[in-house]
């Protein structure tokens, strides 16, 4: 028991000091049943059967070049029968940094999940969903008032990715062990961001951000492995999360100073693997109410991340109500 308590305390410290550079999640890692926290038999048993829940998550993160990114994410899951459920979540994003500020609605995610196998010690659940481009990608510098001189802020300041994506995955659980594979495929590209170093006169602060002129983002493949613990009212689920960006992203560039024509080029270093350690905690306040905490820390990161999802520090805390 003492070792377990030490492990829990270490996990709490992990949640407050985790550095997550490159620990980017474009949506599929936490959509639907993928990556959800599972209660284990050592935890306090549920008094009732609840198929639906509502949750509000607060996220505090330090992103690229020390940008401060906070989000409030309301989530709603509706269970339809014993095996089928629908989930929708819409983030409200606020970002501030050395180039400016922005805030607004982020990209909405809607997911349907179906449990093909649902037993006490074994579950197999599939999820299918969409990420919709309800956020913005063309927020600009407030100091510039004329359209001709407008300078778009880099992607870390934008509330969306500018893509419509299909999210698909399957999760397998056997006793304490949880594994999931997922894929996020871009259906359409509509990123209107025009950030470039030249537009900011190659200023020192601006030149430290990745350029993203009409960025087109590649797909992500995800593998998640976790192990569940239970101790009274507390559930704990450490794990590993691998995100493989399948190709290099692309952007528009003016390749020659004398040629005004823009050409689409691959962004070298944007393809590759991000491997993270993850930790999820849930504390049951009552049979219906619970507090959730999650964190992640990278072991391997991609060299270039122009989509603005870089996180040097991240902490998520949520309040959940089941009904």
């Amino acid at each position: 028991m003492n070792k377990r308590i030490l492990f829990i305390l270490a996990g709490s410290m992990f949640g407050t000091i985790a550095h997550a550079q490159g620990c980017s999640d474009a949506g599929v890692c936490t959509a639907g049943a993928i990556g959800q926290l599972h209660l284990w038999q050592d935890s306090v048993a549920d008094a009732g059967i609840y198929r639906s829940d509502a949750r509000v998550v607060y996220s505090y993160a330090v992103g690229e070049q020390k940008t401060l990114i906070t989000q409030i994410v309301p989530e709603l899951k509706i269970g339809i029968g014993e095996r089928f459920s629908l989930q929708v979540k819409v983030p409200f994003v606020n970002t501030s940094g050395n180039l400016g500020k922005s805030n607004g609605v982020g990209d909405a995610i809607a997911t349907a999940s179906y449990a093909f196998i649902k037993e006490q010690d074994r579950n197999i659940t599939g999820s299918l969903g969409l990420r919709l481009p309800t956020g913005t990608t063309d927020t600009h510098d407030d100091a510039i008032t004329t359209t001709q001189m407008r300078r778009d802020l880099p992607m870390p300041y934008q509330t969306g990715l500018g893509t419509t994506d299909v999210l698909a995955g399957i999760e397998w659980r056997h006793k304490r062990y949880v594994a999931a594979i997922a894929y996020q495929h871009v259906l359409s590209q509509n990123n209107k961001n025009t950030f470039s170093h030249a537009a900011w006169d190659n200023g020192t602060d601006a030149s430290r951000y990745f350029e993203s002129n009409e960025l087109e983002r590649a797909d992500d493949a995800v593998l998640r492995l976790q192990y569940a613990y239970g101790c009274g009212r507390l559930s704990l689920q450490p794990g590993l999360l691998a995100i493989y960006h399948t190709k290099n992203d692309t952007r528009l560039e003016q390749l020659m100073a004398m040629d005004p024509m823009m050409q689409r080029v691959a962004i070298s270093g944007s393809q590759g693997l991000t491997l993270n350690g993850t930790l999820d905690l849930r504390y049951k306040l009552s049979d219906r109410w619970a507090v959730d905490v999650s964190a992640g820390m990278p072991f391997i990161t991609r060299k270039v991340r122009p989509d603005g999802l870089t996180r040097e520090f991240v902490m998520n805390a949520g309040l959940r109500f089941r009904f």
Side-chain angles (χ1 to χ4, degrees):
M1 181 63 68
N2 290 337
K3 290 183 178 179
R4 179 170 290 178
I5 292 174
L6 288 174
F7 188 78
I8 292 170
L9 291 175
S12 299
M13 291 176 62
F14 177 89
T16 59
I17 64 174
H19 288 271
Q21 182 179 1
C23 185
S24 56
D25 172 22
V28 73
C29 299
T30 56
I34 305 302
Q36 297 301 302
L37 181 62
H38 295 277
L39 301 180
W40 181 242
Q41 62 188 21
D42 295 341
S43 303
V44 173
D46 293 333
I49 298 174
Y50 307 102
R51 296 184 178 136
S52 304
D53 63 67
R55 189 169 73 140
V56 176
V57 177
Y58 175 77
S59 175
Y60 177 92
V62 178
E64 187 179 336
Q65 303 305 318
K66 309 302 180 183
T67 52
L68 176 61
I69 303 164
T70 59
Q71 299 186 54
I72 296 176
V73 188
E75 301 178 8
L76 179 64
K77 186 186 80 172
I78 301 296
I80 304 174
E82 294 184 358
R83 296 176 179 266
F84 186 72
S85 65
L86 299 172
Q87 182 194 67
V88 62
K89 53 184 178 180
V90 183
F92 295 85
V93 186
N94 184 80
T95 304
S96 62
N98 56 0
L99 294 187
K101 297 180 180 180
S102 66
N103 59 79
V105 175
D107 289 346
I109 296 178
T111 314
S113 298
Y114 182 80
F116 298 100
I117 297 177
K118 188 175 183 180
E119 300 173 358
Q120 182 176 356
D121 292 337
R122 187 166 67 106
N123 276 17
I124 296 179
T125 303
S127 296
L128 184 65
L130 288 172
R131 178 175 181 139
L132 303 172
T134 51
T136 59
T137 58
D138 58 353
T139 300
H140 55 274
D141 180 15
D142 290 337
I144 305 300
T145 57
T146 63
T147 303
Q148 292 77 9
M149 298 179 63
R150 194 183 78 180
R151 304 180 300 188
D152 276 1
L153 291 165
M155 284 301 295
Y157 296 84
Q158 308 302 328
T159 64
L161 291 179
T163 61
T164 300
D165 303 344
V166 62
L167 319 175
I170 189 164
E171 183 198 59
W172 168 86
R173 179 176 66 84
H174 179 69
K175 296 185 177 179
R176 295 180 183 269
Y177 298 94
V178 183
I181 56 173
Y183 197 82
Q184 181 157 348
H185 173 66
V186 179
L187 293 176
S188 63
Q189 306 272 5
N190 192 33
N191 192 314
K192 300 178 181 179
N193 189 264
T194 60
F195 173 75
S196 67
H197 298 158
W200 287 74
D201 298 323
N202 294 302
T204 303
D205 288 340
S207 64
R208 295 192 177 103
Y209 291 86
F210 297 113
E211 293 185 300
S212 50
N213 189 14
E214 294 192 24
L215 178 73
E216 291 192 353
R217 194 177 186 277
D219 296 351
D220 286 320
V222 172
L223 172 65
R224 182 189 286 273
L225 301 173
Q226 294 172 301
Y227 188 80
Y229 291 89
C231 180
R233 292 181 177 270
L234 183 67
S235 297
L236 174 68
Q237 193 165 271
L240 293 173
L241 173 64
I243 306 171
Y244 187 75
H245 206 54
T246 58
K247 296 190 299 182
N248 282 324
D249 299 332
T250 66
R251 65 174 175 240
L252 292 181
E253 286 188 9
Q254 183 178 351
L255 298 183
M256 295 187 296
M258 302 302 294
D259 186 355
M261 294 296 294
M262 305 291 286
Q263 298 185 40
R264 183 159 296 279
V265 299
I267 305 172
S268 179
S270 56
Q271 177 185 8
L273 175 69
T274 301
L275 178 64
N276 307 286
T278 65
L279 183 65
D280 298 316
L281 298 171
R282 174 173 293 157
Y283 185 79
K284 292 181 65 174
L285 301 172
S286 68
D287 199 48
R288 291 178 179 268
W289 292 92
V291 174
D292 297 336
V293 178
S294 64
M297 181 173 66
F299 305 126
I300 301 172
T301 63
R302 289 184 290 134
K303 181 180 179 181
V304 180
R305 299 166 300 278
D307 51 20
L309 295 178
T310 297
R311 299 292 182 265
E312 294 183 359
F313 173 91
V314 62
M315 184 71 178
N316 299 326
L319 181 64
R320 186 182 67 132
F321 175 73
R322 301 191 298 171
F323 58 95

